[in-house]
Amino acid sequence: MKLLKKLIFGNENVDFVAYFKQSVKEIITSSSMRIDVLSIFFFLGRWLPFAIAVGITTGIIASLMDLMVVSINHILSRDVIYFFIYPVFVALIVGYTIKRYPEVEGPGIGFSILHLKTKKYIKIQVIIHKMIVSVFTLSGGFIAGREGPSFFLGVALGEWIGKIYGFSKKYKNMLGLIGGGAFTGALLKAPLGSSIFAMELENMYDFDYRPFIPMIVASIVSYLTFSFFRGNHPFIDLEGKPIWNLDTIPYIILMGLTVSALIYFYTLIFHIAQRVSKIFPVDRKPLIGTLMAVPFIMFLYFFTHNTDVLSAPANMVILSKMANFSFSIQDDLVIIFSTIFITTFTLAFGIPGGLVLPVLIMGSAVGNIFGHFFPNELITFTLAGMGSALAAAAKTPLAAIVMITEMSHDDVVIPMTAAVITSYLTSFGYSTYLGQNNIFKGNLKNFTKTSNEKR
């Protein structure tokens, strides 16, 4: 035995059994292996009921909003003339509303990100008016995303439900994020992607996992509640399976670069329009911007001969069509530039609505153009185009990959990742959403310094 010990351990006096027992005892009693029972009970007793309450509440309200949006859109679809008149009617209502409640104005996410850093709660009257004008906006005519109003409303509801549950203001930021992720997860039918989206939004390039578990619970409950009332069909309905191979990855990367340049151009003119809109009286600028957008709305319809893009907030059919069918390059370009100018003159001038849908439409149109050269891989290019556009615009690369996967119920993770990384890396330094913090500050040295300070 001594010879064996010497051969194995190099020392015949080693008491392996005693050493093993002592090691096990030290590891089990160490702080790194101690089960945090108090935190588990705190989560089960406080955070879990809160997350479920947020999920049920946001799911029910999201279902009601979706029902109203789809119903109004059905009425508008009876005659195309409604799509030219209705936006003007909505702009008048929005102008009157934002004069009384300025918080209602615009996409909503920029305001929400800044609001989360404060100790204030969004007023109940603001929540009600935001929901009403958002329903009108999403019903048709405007190319507005659902995530702007949903994130805003979710943040407000999360904060108030947290207050009812007795959470102190030190948790307000987390409470709002959980609500924002849950509401967005329901309206976009992407619970996991929307949760990641909410966390990536708050601190650009700086992922914070703290609210992740309760947010996932809230988002799944919200999604299940929404699906119970409104169905479980995917927003992007694919007629075939995505096809790709390694030979096309360089072209997908090239598409990512193209999307990044397009999103930079869009972000630039959108923020310029926001600045210019401030010279107009608050109650008039939505009407002024919408009147400037109407010619582009009419041009888009008469060129494409359908209202799919104008009805996109209600049903997102245009995303499914671009993923399944090859449009002419002229149609793709018209859709891209019409989307840019319609949203610039409406959302930037105070009309409430998100920016995710516009960038998804532009990304899918770029993917559709590239699909002309790879017709068998049209679906892959289109979905990857959507993901890369969202990553460049919102600085949410992981959310972009997961969200598009959930919305399409299909997997193009590898090619989409190539496009997303490309567009994300080449878009450092700017964001479509105001209020996001860029921790890079222009160079990697500052990022390293910030990371070391956190340690």
Side-chain angles (χ1 to χ4, degrees), residues 101 162 178 295:
Y101 305 105
I178 291 167

Side-chain angles (χ1 to χ4, degrees), residues 217-242:
V217 173
S219 295
I220 291 174
V221 172
S222 181
Y223 170 72
L224 292 175
T225 304
F226 181 87
S227 298
F228 176 79
F229 290 107
R230 301 298 297 153
N232 190 32
H233 57 278
F235 266 134
I236 305 173
D237 193 7
L238 303 179
E239 295 187 2
K241 298 295 292 184

Side-chain angles (χ1 to χ4, degrees), residues 342-364:
I342 290 171
T343 56
T344 295
F345 290 131
T346 54
L347 306 185
F349 274 69
I351 297 295
L355 296 171
V356 164
L357 178 61
V359 300
L360 289 183
I361 290 175
M362 287 186 278
S364 63

Side-chain angles (χ1 to χ4, degrees), residues 125-271:
Q125 304 96 303
V126 173
I127 298 174
I128 295 172
H129 282 81
K130 180 72 172 182
M131 186 170 72
I132 293 171
V133 295
S134 296
V135 167
F136 286 143
T137 300
L138 298 176
S139 298
F142 302 102
I143 308 174
R146 294 181 168 210
E147 93 296 337
S150 66
F151 190 80
F152 180 102
L153 293 171
V155 165
L157 290 170
E159 291 175 346
W160 279 105
I161 295 173
K163 187 176 183 180
I164 293 170
Y165 265 75
F167 285 102
S168 65
K169 282 190 175 181
K170 74 176 183 178
Y171 293 110
K172 192 182 80 71
N173 179 279
M174 286 180 61
L175 301 171
L177 275 180
I178 291 167
F183 207 125
T184 305
L187 272 185
L188 291 182
K189 299 185 179 181
L192 178 57
S194 296
S195 297
I196 300 171
F197 178 75
M199 289 186 290
E200 286 185 308
L201 266 178
E202 188 196 13
N203 290 305
M204 197 163 50
Y205 315 120
D206 192 14
F207 204 80
D208 183 1
Y209 281 97
R210 288 176 301 166
F212 188 66
I213 295 177
M215 188 184 295
I216 285 292
V217 173
S219 295
I220 291 174
V221 172
S222 181
Y223 170 72
L224 292 175
T225 304
F226 181 87
S227 298
F228 176 79
F229 290 107
R230 301 298 297 153
N232 190 32
H233 57 278
F235 266 134
I236 305 173
D237 193 7
L238 303 179
E239 295 187 2
K241 298 295 292 184
I243 299 172
W244 66 276
N245 59 70
L246 291 176
D247 293 339
T248 55
I249 293 297
Y251 299 98
I252 288 175
I253 292 173
L254 178 60
M255 182 187 67
L257 288 171
T258 305
V259 168
S260 177
L262 175 63
I263 296 302
Y264 179 84
F265 172 72
Y266 177 57
T267 302
L268 177 65
I269 68 167
F270 188 87
H271 289 328

